[in-house]
């Protein structure tokens, strides 16, 4: 049985790869991009199975109009995949107010506006699956990506809350948490950098070496069958790490956090006061 899938940020990377996979198996796809020309090849191949929509997710009124258009055109929205976003590279001190606000506007507020707009449709259906493309950097951090880390931590807290609020209405929420993948995320999709302060050069140089080993980058094609299975799953997970690096790093981080919590257990309980 075909589904109606709504994907933001579908012009490249995961978004376009997954959109094509859904179309190939017979689903209907509403795909948004800042420039719909990037979707022309899919329109040519799949015709009216795809609805391309020009959208900047930071414009809330436009988001609401896009969701109304999708619901009217296809009659339902079974799955939302919030994929629009980018990375801002640089240390926290180097980040300007404009850069910080822009990062949060797209990665957090854009995701919030799209999610809020889709929820009434899913509530009326008493069904739906909201998939938020977060990052393993919503669970741990890397230097040089402070505002990106913060935006994904915010997405994690928001989405976990939504999951608890909508579960009784038959709506599922899943956070996909990838490590780095060999998409253009570090290129065109992540095209902002801060102005350098020389004191941070050692941090910058160390960060530059982190992605030199090609084995650290996941293969985007490996995610396709997993995403297709995820939207069909009767009981999907609330969180799903994508990639060996994400799994190993997050497991280590959480083990260390639990150990620290236990080490300071008596102090924590004493702080309760009674």
């Amino acid at each position: 049985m075909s589904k109606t899938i709504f994907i933001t940020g579908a012009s490249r990377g995961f978004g376009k790869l997954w959109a094509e996979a859904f179309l190939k198996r017979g689903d209907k796809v509403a795909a948004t991009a800042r420039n719909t020309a990037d979707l022309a090849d899919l329109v040519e191949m799949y015709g009216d199975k795809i609805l391309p929509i020009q959208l900047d997710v930071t414009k809330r009124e436009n988001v609401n109009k896009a969701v109304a258009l999708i619901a009217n055109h296809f009659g339902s929205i079974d799955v939302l995949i919030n994929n629009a976003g980018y990375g801002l590279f640089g240390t926290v001190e180097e980040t300007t107010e404009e850069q910080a606000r822009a990062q949060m506007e797209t990665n957090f507020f854009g995701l919030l506006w799209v999610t809020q707009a889709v929820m009434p449709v899913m509530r009326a259906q008493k069904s739906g699956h909201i998939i938020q493309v977060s990052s393993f950097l919503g669970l741990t951090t890397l230097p040089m990506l402070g505002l990106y880390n913060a935006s994904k931590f915010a997405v994690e807290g928001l989405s976990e809350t939504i999951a608890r609020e909508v579960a009784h209405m038959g709506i599922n929420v899943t956070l996909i948490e990838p490590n780095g993948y060999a998409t253009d995320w570090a290129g065109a999709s992540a095209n902002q950098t801060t102005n350098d302060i020389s004191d941070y050069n050692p941090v910058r140089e160390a960060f530059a070496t982190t992605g030199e080993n090609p084995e650290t980058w996941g293969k985007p094609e490996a995610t396709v069958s997993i995403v297709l299975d995820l939207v069909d799953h009767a009981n999907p997970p609330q969180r799903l790490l994508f990639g060996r690096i994400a799994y190993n790093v997050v497991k280590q981080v959480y083990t260390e956090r639990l150990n620290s919590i236990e080490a300071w257990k008596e102090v924590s309980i004493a702080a309760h006061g009674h």
Side-chain angles (χ1 to χ4, degrees), residues 2 9 21 60-61 64 68 80 101-102 119 133 136 169 196 201 224 227 230 234:
S2 70
R60 191 177 188 185
E61 184 179 345
N64 291 336
L80 163 65
R101 291 185 182 278
M119 287 170 73
V133 181
F136 84 122
M169 292 182 284
D196 296 353
N201 284 348
V224 170
V227 168
L230 179 64

Side-chain angles (χ1 to χ4, degrees), residues 57-172:
V57 296
T58 68
K59 310 299 183 185
R60 191 177 188 185
E61 184 179 345
N62 293 346
V63 168
N64 291 336
K65 289 177 180 177
V67 170
L69 175 62
I70 296 164
N72 289 333
H73 185 82
F74 286 130
S76 66
I77 299 175
D78 300 307
V79 179
L80 163 65
I81 302 180
N82 260 317
N83 177 62
Y86 71 94
L88 171 65
F89 291 83
T91 68
V92 172
E93 185 184 353
E94 293 166 339
T95 305
T96 66
E97 178 180 350
E98 182 181 9
Q99 288 173 323
R101 291 185 182 278
Q103 179 77 118
M104 296 302 292
E105 284 289 345
T106 297
N107 290 11
F108 176 72
F109 285 106
L111 175 142
L112 172 59
W113 306 147
V114 175
T115 304
Q116 284 185 325
V118 166
M119 287 170 73
V121 178
M122 292 186 173
R123 282 194 293 108
Q125 297 169 174
K126 293 294 186 286
S127 66
H129 192 176
I130 298 168
I131 298 176
Q132 316 284 42
V133 181
S134 179
S135 169
F136 84 122
L137 297 179
L139 299 170
T140 185
T141 64
L142 280 175
M144 296 292 296
L145 283 163
L147 269 296
Y148 180 82
N149 297 334
S151 72
K152 295 303 186 179
F153 266 72
V155 165
E156 294 276 331
L158 177 78
S159 302
E160 183 176 305
T161 304
I162 293 170
R164 294 179 178 181
E165 293 172 346
V166 302
H168 69 286
M169 292 182 284
I171 302 170
N172 294 306

